[in-house]
Amino acid sequence: DFQKLIQDSIENIILNFVQDVDSLKDINTHLLEELILHNKYINKAEVYLNVEGTLKTNIEFRQPFIKLLKNNKVYYFDSAGVMLPNLLKVDENLLVLSGDFDEDVLIATYNLISQIYSKPLLNKLIGGVYYDNNKGYILSAKACDLSVYIGIQPVLDEARINMIELFYNVLSVKLACGDCQAINITYD
């Protein structure tokens, strides 16, 4: 698991750093924090000496939030929009983004992604988000290859979520998957 690899890397940084110090009291904890923060997987690092004089570290890891497909390559980003180095093992339930995503569109998409993750129905149903400069956002359902058009300024309020649920229920109960390829909830 990637956190174990990062922890081992950080332990090596700390061991190399403290081996040249005569006493832990002489250690520059701020410099050591900065060295640890050079690792892109680290969001926050705190290094300190406790009252017994033991070196302690608190480390907060960055967690993958989305997968972006661009130019046939996969890029991972955390929830703050920081691109993470290649990951060895990732939760397969991450939303996949593709299309005309530049940095500004990607940042604007984070609110939409958070909404999808936070709504149980959407989190279960939606597997990807495609962005087209002309058509806007298109959600991709995990089942039936259904596209859900939500527009350039996406709104996922309760009414629109209910529309998605209604269409999906009708599609899954009364129709075959091939009977409907897309729905458009851009309008009421």
Side-chain angles (χ1 to χ4, degrees):
D1 129 275
F2 82 94
Q3 285 188 350
K4 175 70 172 124
L5 291 172
I6 303 304
Q7 286 173 332
D8 291 346
S9 170
I10 292 168
E11 286 176 11
N12 286 336
I13 290 171
I14 293 170
L15 289 173
N16 289 333
F17 190 82
V18 297
Q19 78 181 2
D20 295 331
V21 177
D22 294 333
S23 166
L24 286 180
K25 293 177 185 173
D26 298 334
I27 197 165
N28 183 338
T29 56
H30 180 70
L31 180 60
L32 185 52
E33 284 175 3
E34 292 297 321
L35 286 172
I36 292 170
L37 286 171
H38 276 44
N39 187 311
K40 281 273 201 176
Y41 288 116
I42 306 301
N43 186 40
K44 194 173 172 184
E46 181 182 9
V47 179
Y48 61 95
L49 292 173
N50 68 8
V51 290
E52 290 91 28
T54 305
L55 185 66
K56 296 288 185 179
T57 59
N58 289 329
I59 296 173
E60 180 182 301
F61 290 93
R62 294 186 184 280
Q63 298 297 323
F65 184 67
I66 58 162
K67 279 193 279 192
L68 176 68
L69 295 177
K70 191 170 187 173
N71 300 325
N72 294 324
K73 291 185 181 179
V74 177
Y75 301 94
Y76 293 93
F77 290 84
D78 73 353
S79 60
V82 174
M83 186 168 67
L84 300 173
N86 288 338
L87 301 170
L88 299 175
K89 184 177 178 186
V90 178
D91 180 5
E92 291 302 318
N93 288 323
L94 291 176
L95 283 173
V96 178
L97 275 59
S98 60
D100 302 325
F101 281 101
D102 60 21
E103 191 171 328
D104 292 335
V105 172
L106 185 62
I107 291 168
T109 305
Y110 271 65
N111 185 37
L112 173 64
I113 301 300
S114 294
Q115 288 179 355
I116 293 170
Y117 281 145
S118 70
K119 304 290 184 186
L121 171 77
L122 296 178
N123 194 23
K124 180 179 138 192
L125 180 64
I126 304 301
V129 176
Y130 178 82
Y131 182 78
D132 179 277
N133 287 327
N134 298 319
K135 296 177 184 175
Y137 291 93
I138 304 165
L139 306 180
S140 175
K142 292 177 185 175
C144 292
D145 199 26
L146 179 69
S147 297
V148 181
Y149 290 80
I150 59 175
I152 291 178
Q153 299 294 324
V155 175
L156 283 177
D157 56 15
E158 287 303 314
R160 286 186 172 77
I161 292 171
N162 290 339
M163 287 169 54
I164 294 171
E165 183 175 24
L166 175 67
F167 276 105
Y168 185 71
N169 288 339
V170 168
L171 181 65
S172 62
V173 173
K174 296 184 180 181
L175 302 172
C177 280
D179 291 343
C180 181
Q181 295 176 348
I183 61 173
N184 188 337
I185 62 165
T186 305
Y187 309 102
D188 289 341

